[in-house]
Amino acid sequence: MNDPSTEFLRVDGVVKDYMSGGQRLRVLKGISLDIGEGEILAIVGPSGAGKSTLLHIMGFLDRPTAGEVHFRGTRVSALSDPDLARLRNRACGFVFQMHHLLPELSALENVLAPLMVRFGVFEWVVQGAAARRRARGLLERLGLSHRLHHRPNQLSGGDRQRVALARALVGDPQIVLCDEPTGNLDAATSREVQQLIRDLAAETGKTFVIVTHDVNVAGLARRVIRLEDGAVVGSQRT
Ligand code: ADP
């Protein structure tokens, strides 16, 4: 029998091609990885190596050209687009370099957005109050109790990433995918956000996959995978 820890998320021979100027560009050249439940994995490598592309495939935002992704026994390529979107909404939380908060919504509303998508109008009537409590609780945990009704342009860069972390966690995801989460922050704020990611990973026991070229951020991980030119060229446990 396989080790259950290898059955959480498995990337198996993943290839990704893009068409660029009429040419086929092979961005991922057959990546295989097993990610265990509760693991904190960093993916490092130079710009253009394919890190974000791999992260998007691991978070079901994109499909590989060839190869498979298995999540808890589900062959992801077999899912229809709506089923893939449902899986993504339930299983994944995302934190991007550019926060991607909706500018017209408050911090609290931004955090609630993934749950509004999940529940739809009718279920929201039943679930909305509990969802709001959960979102508030997370924002308070992240030190933003005094910023609940501020819009993104009224928040500092660090506070925006705190809101993005709350939004990533509000749906109780099984995996949190972070793409250069501190890439846009000054050094001191970056350290604060790193500490929060470390604490949240420990508190929640959730799986975190973090793309970064910051060695300090990579230091949060228990395993660091190095990607170069679309291939894994190194793997180190810390
Ligand atoms: P990294 O995150 O390591 O910087 P990316 O995964 O963003 O690398 O990109 C890898 C390569 O794929 C780059 O050469 C990039 O230009 C190319 N690429 C990424 N997305 C697309 C796209 N949608 N269409 C064409 N080329 C793309």
Side-chain angles (χ1 to χ4, degrees):
M1 205 174 118
N2 286 340
D3 173 359
S5 70
T6 66
E7 294 176 359
F8 179 69
L9 181 65
R10 181 182 305 160
V11 173
D12 195 6
V14 159
V15 169
K16 181 69 182 179
D17 293 341
Y18 287 117
M19 291 306 290
S20 175
Q23 299 269 22
R24 197 178 60 167
L25 182 67
R26 180 145 294 184
V27 172
L28 298 178
K29 299 177 175 169
I31 305 267
S32 295
L33 278 178
D34 279 316
I35 293 107
E37 188 164 14
E39 186 173 7
I40 307 173
L41 174 76
I43 302 174
V44 302
S47 183
K51 304 182 298 295
S52 295
T53 303
L54 178 60
L55 191 84
H56 289 179
I57 289 172
M58 288 165 77
F60 322 129
L61 282 166
D62 200 359
R63 294 179 185 270
T65 306
E68 284 291 348
V69 178
H70 296 264
F71 180 67
R72 290 186 174 276
T74 298
R75 193 160 63 89
V76 172
S77 65
L79 299 177
S80 65
D81 285 347
D83 284 345
L84 192 68
R86 250 187 302 279
L87 175 66
R88 182 167 61 237
N89 178 274
R90 290 187 177 273
C92 301
F94 296 94
V95 179
F96 298 102
Q97 178 173 0
M98 293 302 298
H99 63 78
H100 291 315
L101 299 175
L102 296 170
E104 67 276 18
L105 299 184
S106 69
L108 182 62
E109 290 162 344
N110 265 289
V111 174
L112 284 169
L115 292 180
M116 288 177 160
V117 170
R118 180 182 302 181
F119 292 136
V121 176
F122 294 110
E123 210 183 334
W124 187 255
V125 174
V126 180
Q127 306 273 9
R132 284 182 86 83
R133 276 196 298 278
R134 180 168 167 75
R136 270 176 182 271
L138 271 167
L139 284 166
E140 283 163 12
R141 160 65 188 88
L142 288 162
L144 291 176
S145 45
H146 55 309
R147 298 271 190 271
L148 299 180
H149 304 295
H150 287 54
R151 293 187 181 189
N153 66 4
Q154 300 170 310
L155 297 172
S156 66
D159 284 351
R160 287 180 199 154
Q161 281 310 58
R162 286 179 163 80
V163 176
L165 276 164
R167 180 183 56 182
L169 289 166
V170 75
D172 197 22
Q174 294 166 66
I175 180 162
V176 181
L177 300 120
C178 308
D179 195 350
E180 297 284 5
T182 63
N184 231 18
L185 304 176
D186 62 60
T189 311
S190 170
R191 277 195 296 278
E192 286 170 23
V193 171
Q194 284 165 40
Q195 187 61 47
L196 271 176
I197 292 174
R198 185 193 304 274
D199 293 347
L200 290 169
E203 283 166 30
T204 62
K206 292 187 189 301
T207 308
F208 276 68
V209 180
I210 308 169
V211 159
T212 184
H213 51 245
D214 182 334
V215 288
N216 296 317
V217 177
L220 301 175
R222 296 197 205 116
R223 181 162 54 128
V224 181
I225 300 277
R226 185 167 178 82
L227 212 61
E228 280 179 21
D229 196 21
V232 175
V233 296
S235 173
Q236 194 181 348
R237 289 191 185 270
T238 57

